[in-house]
Amino acid sequence: MAFSSALVLTDLNDYIAPSQACVKPVEVSKSETQGPTEIKVDDEGSYYEITQDGGEEKLEKASISLDDCLACSGCVTSAESVLISMQSQEELFKILQQNKTALEQNQPQDHRTIVISISPQSRASLAAKYRLTPLQVHHRLVYFFKHYLGAHHVFDTSFTQDLSLVESAREFNDRFKRYMQNGGDALEQAMQKQDLEKAVEDGKPKVRARRRKAATTDEAPAVNQDLPMLSSSCPGWVCYAEKTHGEILPYVTAAKSPQQMMGSLVKDYFAKKSGLAPNQIYHVSIMPCYDKKLEASRPDFFLEAYETREVDCVLTTSEIDKMFHEQNLDFATMTESPIDDMFNKVGIDPATGIETSYGVAGSSSGGALEYIFASAARDLFHIQDADPTQPSARVVIKTGKNADVKEYFLIGDDGKTLLRFATAYGFRNIQNVVRKIKTGKCNYHYVEVMACPGGCANGGGQLPADTEQIVNAKDWVSFVEDLYRSSKGVKPEDNEIIKAIYNEWIIDPSSERAQQLLRTQYHAVTQNLGNPLATKW
């Protein structure tokens, strides 16, 4: 696994630890003249190098940047490391062997139904490496898991992506209405005035424009805790917020990620339909990032009544590819099996009569910004033609200082800005958003936050660039992104199966049951800076 053992703490009562004070213990420059030396640690945890003549020199600590911290996914506790160790191909093979033994010994009570759910980002990464279409990849994965390994069902996480998007849009609309009722209307008027003044200042010398901008920004009123709503499908970002910015958590959407939506669907709806208890199902999720292992391990997603997790095992794209090689299988020439399970977004294109895979419009990070933007425009402002994937007079898109920051504006008939959305990928951009929220200067209504630059197509568990074909890493990520987007976009509300399941399974979206199945909560971390080992998580 891609976890650094050097960053794992033991015997701590915590959730996710930032490796004590988020530093490597010491940084030692090897000395060629002093001979053998020793390291001493004092009561305060400082490190000293002791030379042969008794001299002491205090050693510097080597800081770890935020990018390094959460990109490595290594800051986990002993309890978490045990859970993560259970999320491996070895554990999957162990369950498969147990099933085989149960059948041979006629012990059906020990047999578990194995469900595999595949993320569209993982499909795109495999398609890029093997020069296949995402649909071809899916067919071959069905063969690999069902006919080679012995899994019983293979589902598509883009199916529950629809559920997550619908729930996120519902939450945003509710938040926006509360925001407007609790002083947001006056705040929006101040923003409109600020926009007008800025437009006037744009025609004046830059020195005066900068001075005016600073003045108006400092006078901006503080926002309430309904907006901006921040996305929650990236577990790396959620871990960072819980560890270092507990005051930001009320802004994070409570809607479950597509992975955990699938966990709810499998262990609740599918289990009941199949006449199984949740602990009789072993659910494996194929994901583009290692942090998804941490997400699946959260206590919020553990079903205490059945002593099972909603997602039992998370394997990354690279771990699946490793399994092909270890089994001496050539995925490029593997047999394709039909996709016959319900929870898949595959169908016949009525225009061509050819089988095709379906997804949602938008980026490989899940299309949340695009869907929530269009949904809010329609439901809050009765604007039907707001498509954030296509710039227009209605939708203005601006790229920030780097490609991982983009702004999306919905413009009304009178020229006023009705919605302000943005993307913030990578921790430098995330820090800017957090800083603005803390100082009451974040003017966005929604921000799609992702820990990885480039979004989920560039997840830490994805396959590396094929240097024989594409040398530039950014070009490789773009290639994977294009393959992800090649699946035909379908709005969740046009997915008849999703609507039928929602009406049968959820029934009332405002009920307590719906809250338990579709939403989650977050936990701020209380740090003890004087003694990092006493930190409570």
Side-chain angles (χ1 to χ4, degrees), residues 252-425:
V252 181
T253 173
K256 285 185 179 180
S257 70
Q259 171 178 281
Q260 297 308 138
M261 285 281 192
M262 183 61 82
S264 294
L265 191 72
V266 167
K267 292 294 180 88
D268 190 87
Y269 179 84
F270 175 76
K272 291 175 181 176
K273 283 289 185 180
S274 304
L276 299 169
N279 57 5
Q280 292 178 301
I281 299 174
Y282 188 76
H283 181 200
V284 182
S285 182
I286 312 304
M287 286 286 144
C289 114
Y290 284 94
D291 286 327
K292 284 293 182 180
K293 294 175 185 278
L294 293 174
E295 181 180 71
S297 300
R298 294 176 70 90
D300 305 277
F301 303 137
F302 184 79
L303 307 177
E304 294 185 3
Y306 296 94
E307 296 186 348
T308 186
R309 284 177 286 169
E310 293 177 338
V311 179
D312 297 285
C313 178
V314 176
L315 298 177
T316 63
T317 314
S318 57
E319 287 175 306
I320 295 300
D321 192 55
K322 181 182 177 182
M323 290 172 70
F324 301 151
H325 296 291
E326 290 178 347
Q327 301 295 320
N328 295 317
L329 297 173
D330 182 6
F331 189 72
T333 60
M334 188 176 290
T335 302
E336 294 185 8
S337 288
I339 301 170
D340 53 7
D341 283 308
M342 177 187 296
F343 306 134
N344 284 280
K345 290 187 69 174
V346 175
I348 303 299
D349 187 342
T352 64
I354 300 174
E355 185 183 41
T356 186
S357 60
Y358 294 96
V360 292
S363 74
S364 64
S365 296
L369 181 146
E370 291 84 356
Y371 181 77
I372 295 172
F373 187 96
S375 176
R378 181 184 65 247
D379 298 338
L380 298 175
F381 301 104
H382 309 292
I383 296 175
Q384 306 296 326
D385 58 347
D387 183 359
T389 64
Q390 299 291 333
S392 64
R394 282 282 192 201
V395 180
V396 177
I397 303 176
K398 298 180 180 179
T399 301
K401 293 181 179 179
N402 58 73
D404 287 322
V405 176
K406 286 187 178 180
E407 297 178 311
Y408 299 76
F409 303 95
L410 177 68
I411 309 301
D413 293 332
D414 56 0
K416 292 183 178 179
T417 301
L418 303 176
L419 290 175
R420 295 179 295 275
F421 280 35
T423 61
Y425 297 170

Side-chain angles (χ1 to χ4, degrees), residues 132-198:
L132 300 169
T133 67
L135 184 59
Q136 289 175 315
V137 169
H138 198 78
H139 277 289
R140 296 176 195 208
L141 288 175
V142 170
Y143 173 82
F144 174 70
F145 287 118
K146 282 189 175 182
H147 301 283
Y148 191 83
L149 293 186
H152 301 92
H153 301 277
V154 177
F155 298 152
D156 180 0
T157 311
S158 59
F159 186 87
T160 47
Q161 186 171 272
D162 284 0
L163 279 173
S164 183
L165 291 175
V166 169
E167 192 64 21
S168 297
R170 188 192 312 279
E171 182 180 353
F172 176 80
N173 291 347
D174 290 342
R175 283 174 176 251
F176 190 89
K177 291 173 184 177
R178 289 198 306 269
Y179 161 76
M180 294 299 285
Q181 293 170 357
N182 297 326
D185 186 50
L187 181 60
E188 290 300 308
Q189 292 181 15
M191 297 296 178
Q192 297 293 345
K193 180 181 178 182
Q194 198 175 84
D195 289 343
L196 180 62
E197 291 175 343
K198 184 178 184 302

Side-chain angles (χ1 to χ4, degrees), residues 16-37:
I16 298 173
S19 189
Q20 297 186 29
C22 278
V23 293
K24 296 178 182 177
V26 290
E27 185 176 42
V28 181
S29 298
K30 186 175 181 180
S31 174
E32 300 293 341
T33 59
Q34 294 179 341
T37 60

Side-chain angles (χ1 to χ4, degrees), residues 354-514:
I354 300 174
E355 185 183 41
T356 186
S357 60
Y358 294 96
V360 292
S363 74
S364 64
S365 296
L369 181 146
E370 291 84 356
Y371 181 77
I372 295 172
F373 187 96
S375 176
R378 181 184 65 247
D379 298 338
L380 298 175
F381 301 104
H382 309 292
I383 296 175
Q384 306 296 326
D385 58 347
D387 183 359
T389 64
Q390 299 291 333
S392 64
R394 282 282 192 201
V395 180
V396 177
I397 303 176
K398 298 180 180 179
T399 301
K401 293 181 179 179
N402 58 73
D404 287 322
V405 176
K406 286 187 178 180
E407 297 178 311
Y408 299 76
F409 303 95
L410 177 68
I411 309 301
D413 293 332
D414 56 0
K416 292 183 178 179
T417 301
L418 303 176
L419 290 175
R420 295 179 295 275
F421 280 35
T423 61
Y425 297 170
F427 279 97
R428 289 185 180 180
N429 297 323
I430 290 175
Q431 288 180 83
N432 289 334
V433 171
V434 169
R435 189 180 303 112
K436 287 180 179 179
I437 292 175
K438 286 184 174 182
T439 57
K441 299 174 184 177
C442 186
N443 299 336
Y444 302 122
H445 299 123
Y446 176 86
V447 184
E448 184 175 86
V449 184
M450 294 287 154
C452 293
C456 293
N458 190 36
Q462 295 285 72
L463 300 176
D466 183 350
T467 55
E468 294 182 2
Q469 300 290 333
I470 301 176
V471 178
N472 188 294
K474 290 185 177 180
D475 290 342
W476 176 258
V477 174
S478 297
F479 183 41
V480 176
E481 181 81 22
D482 290 342
L483 284 167
Y484 172 89
R485 292 174 182 257
S486 66
S487 295
K488 188 174 182 179
V490 175
K491 296 177 181 178
E493 56 267 27
D494 293 336
N495 187 334
E496 295 299 328
I497 300 178
I498 279 287
K499 289 195 290 185
I501 290 177
Y502 202 91
N503 292 333
E504 177 186 354
W505 181 41
I506 303 301
I507 304 174
D508 179 8
S510 62
S511 67
E512 182 178 347
R513 169 180 164 78

